Structure formats: structure tokens, C-alpha cells
Amino acid sequence: MSLDIRIDYPPRVQLANLPTPLERMNRLSREFGVEILFKRDDLTGIELSGNKIRKLEFLLAEALDLGADTIITTGGAQSNHCRATALAATKLGLKSVLILRTPDPANPPGPEGNILLDLLAGSELVWVTPEEYADKETCFGKVEEGLIARGRKPYSIPVGGSNALGSFGYIKAVTELIEDLKALDGDELRPTTIVSATGSGGTTAGLLLGAILSGFDLTVHGINVCDNSAYFNDEIGLIIRDFRERFMPGLDPGAESLIEIIDGYVGLGYALSQPIELKCIRDLAFKEGVILDPVYTGKAFFGMTSELKKNPARFGERIVFYHTGGLFGLFPKAAEMAEVL
Ligand SMILES: *Cc1c(COP(=O)(O)O)cnc(C)c1O
């Protein structure tokens, strides 16, 4: 029986181009002596590329069911999640308001990278300071009130679309991955370790839930690109707890203890790059013709390969690295990138 049949999915709108390819990185696999596959979730679409679309399929279905006409969400200035939300909302005939973080809201960054796409989606941008951003409830509350006063019906999505409902996107992704792996292995799947970037935790939460529910020998590691492992143990633990309460009371009570965050690769901080990380992105591009982003996948991949250099057996014989997208975040860093070319 397939996993999909056992899970009672909430309503979903189809936005992503699925299934995404699972590609073997031949030169990389040879270099590290383990099989390294990339799950190309950067190919869920062009404008709607990346991991956030899988979560938005469930979140926006709920917004539509509730009769919302405007989606509110939040993130950093170059947020991939905000860009994906803005474009997906427009595709569904909804409006969007993005609450974006910037050091000086009176002088926000120009229309480059994801911001350009937010504007093309017709989104309304609300700039806030990092201090204001830290108090999400107040930020969302103010925007919601303003919209309601204008007769609109808002629906708010948390940072990264990371909550219990959004995590269904990556539970479903695991069922897709299992089909990909069956195409390689037949029904006897070889043990596989999944590695991905952790930015707000929803992807890691969904992958872990999917792995637990699948019953296959799948291990899930997140490499955090901001904050630290204690923070993400809490955040992902909360998502899993909410998921259990809202959707699956029978979920294994030990699920939270399986969260495995690999800390140590935040580098200079969220969205800040070091030459060694950019060189790692360059080397992979030269080797395999695959482009990572500097904010998430580049740091996670740098982390994964650094761990493999220390211990080639760290992740077992087969790794699936989730390429979660983010290409547009590379362009605002073109000058820094050019220095290592
Ligand atoms: C948001 C994002 C992530 C992290 O996913 P979370 O679910 O927020 O942890 C990874 N990669 C890219 C490109 C992203 O935009």
C-alpha cells in the first residue's frame, strides 16, 4: 500500500510542476565515494520555483476555502517564500501583502532579485525594521486590521509557510521521493539519508514526518542557515506537535526526538556569504552544471560536503540532497560571486 493512500491530506491546489527530477551527481558521487542524488525542487516552476510551492499548495487551498481575497506573509527582503506566495496568490486571483525586513524602511532596497518579482506580481510591500519584524503578531495584526477596514478578507501565512498545514507539502514530497527511489531500487529501498537547508523549519518538519510515516529507512538531516540547532529543535518540535494535535493524534510520541539539525554552517549570518561558500557554489556549478543559491542551498551543500570531508561515512551510502531553489537570490550577490570566478 502506498503511503499516499494512508495519509488523509487536507485540500490542495495544484501549483508545482511535479514530480521534480531526482538526478544522480556522477562526479560528486565519485569524489566522495557515496551515491549523491539531488532532488530538484528548484524545478517546481520558473517564477514559482523552490520548496515553498509545495507548502503553498496546502496553505492557499485553505485560504480559498475560507473565502480569503488577500494573502499576507512575511520574510527577509529577498525572501523566496514571499516571492512564491505573491506569484501563487496572483495566479489564483488573490491579492498579496508582503511584510519585508530591512535595516532602514525609509530607504528600502531597490527592485532586484526577488523584490523585482514581488512587484511584478502586483504585491503590496510593507517594509519593517528587524525590531518590528521580531514582533510578528503586531506586524500581521496591523496589516490585517488595515485590510479588514478596507472590506478585504485576509489570510495570514507564517514565515516560510512553516506550520502544521504547510508541512503536508513535504510529507507529500516524501511519497514522491519514494516513488523515485523505487524506480532505482525496486520495492526493497536501500537506506537513504535526506539532507536539506533549514531556514524556518517547515521543510525539515515535513520531510521528517514523511520519513516517519513512510516506514522506510529514511534519515532526515537539516543544516541550519540561521539561528542554531536548539532554536530549530524547538521550532520544528512545535510544528510536529501542532501537526499531531490538528491532524494526526496517533503520530508516534517520539517523533520530535528524531529531529537532527547539523549546526555550524551559518557562517557570517543569514544571507551573508563567505568566499569559501561562494567557491563551493562555483565548484559544484563547474562540476555538475547545477547552480545553488547563496542563502540556503549553498550553505547547506557546503555543510554537507564539509561533513563528508571529515567523515565519508557520515550520511551512509546514499544521500538525497534537496535542492530547494533560491536562484533569484544569487543575482543581488553577482559582484561578490564574480570575485571568485
Ligand atoms: C525557505 C528556503 C529553504 C528553507 O526551508 P524552510 O522550510 O524555511 O526551512 C531552503 N531553501 C530555499 C531556497 C528556501 O527559499
Side-chain angles (χ1 to χ4, degrees):
M1 190 164 61
S2 101
L3 173 61
D4 249 343
I5 295 166
R6 293 201 307 264
I7 295 172
D8 205 1
Y9 286 101
R12 163 176 172 251
V13 280
Q14 198 260 313
L15 292 166
N17 289 310
L18 303 177
T20 57
L22 180 70
E23 294 176 353
R24 181 181 273 108
M25 298 293 125
N26 288 323
R27 284 161 292 275
L28 208 58
S29 299
R30 258 201 309 280
E31 181 181 336
F32 289 101
V34 292
E35 186 180 17
I36 302 178
L37 304 159
F38 273 28
K39 182 64 171 163
R40 297 293 306 268
D41 275 13
D42 55 322
L43 301 179
T44 49
I46 296 278
E47 319 88 342
L48 287 181
S49 67
N51 60 337
K52 301 307 182 312
I53 320 304
R54 291 191 188 261
K55 309 182 202 184
L56 287 168
E57 291 195 323
F58 290 97
L59 294 162
L60 292 176
E62 184 175 76
L64 290 172
D65 279 353
L66 293 172
D69 57 20
T70 308
I71 308 299
I72 310 171
T73 197
T74 189
Q78 282 295 340
S79 167
N80 295 309
H81 162 68
C82 288
R83 176 257 308 156
T85 303
L87 287 158
T90 300
K91 273 190 191 253
L92 296 173
L94 305 171
K95 299 206 175 308
S96 59
V97 180
L98 306 178
I99 304 167
L100 299 175
R101 182 186 64 222
T102 189
D104 179 9
N107 293 296
E112 54 179 7
N114 282 309
I115 300 168
L116 178 64
L117 302 181
D118 297 341
L119 294 170
L120 282 170
S123 204
E124 184 188 327
L125 310 187
V126 176
W127 295 99
V128 296
T129 63
E131 294 72 35
E132 289 167 327
Y133 180 85
D135 181 4
K136 301 245 172 4
E137 234 180 274
T138 303
C139 285
F140 276 105
K142 272 191 198 161
V143 174
E144 280 165 12
E145 269 172 38
L147 288 168
I148 292 167
R150 284 189 268 155
R152 304 253 288 270
K153 288 190 87 180
Y155 177 90
S156 291
I157 295 180
V159 183
S162 290
N163 60 15
L165 180 60
S167 66
F168 273 104
Y170 270 85
I171 294 174
K172 195 161 177 55
V174 173
T175 71
E176 182 184 306
L177 177 66
I178 288 169
E179 293 309 308
D180 297 334
L181 294 173
K182 279 184 178 166
L184 299 176
D185 290 352
D187 279 342
E188 292 284 313
L189 294 194
R190 289 165 45 213
T192 298
T193 298
I194 294 172
V195 179
S196 70
T198 302
S200 62
T203 301
T204 308
L207 288 169
L208 182 58
L209 287 166
I212 292 167
L213 296 171
S214 79
F216 286 107
D217 190 347
L218 299 173
T219 307
V220 176
H221 289 286
I223 300 183
N224 58 300
V225 301
C226 54
D227 301 290
N228 58 31
S229 56
Y231 173 85
F232 282 112
N233 282 326
D234 286 350
E235 288 295 304
I236 296 168
L238 279 177
I239 296 171
I240 293 177
R241 206 162 316 137
D242 284 349
F243 178 85
R244 184 186 286 114
E245 276 171 21
R246 186 169 169 197
F247 300 108
M248 204 176 279
L251 177 72
D252 183 348
E256 285 90 332
S257 68
L258 300 174
I259 302 167
E260 289 195 65
I261 299 295
I262 300 175
D263 208 341
Y265 299 99
V266 174
L268 297 178
Y270 176 74
L272 301 173
S273 298
Q274 314 182 78
I276 194 168
E277 296 160 6
L278 299 177
K279 283 180 187 159
C280 182
I281 293 173
R282 173 200 66 192
D283 292 345
L284 179 74
F286 283 3
K287 220 173 281 168
E288 299 281 3
V290 174
I291 319 272
L292 299 174
D293 82 289
V295 182
Y296 296 95
T297 55
K299 286 193 187 190
F301 183 77
F302 174 66
M304 181 180 87
T305 49
S306 301
E307 293 290 313
L308 282 173
K309 279 176 193 162
K310 285 190 269 182
N311 175 10
R314 172 79 164 95
F315 301 115
E317 296 203 344
R318 178 155 71 194
I319 301 169
V320 172
F321 178 81
Y322 266 81
H323 189 335
T324 43
L327 182 63
F328 303 119
L330 187 61
F331 299 103
K333 286 188 183 276
E336 270 178 82
M337 193 76 219
E339 277 179 35
V340 304
L341 293 174

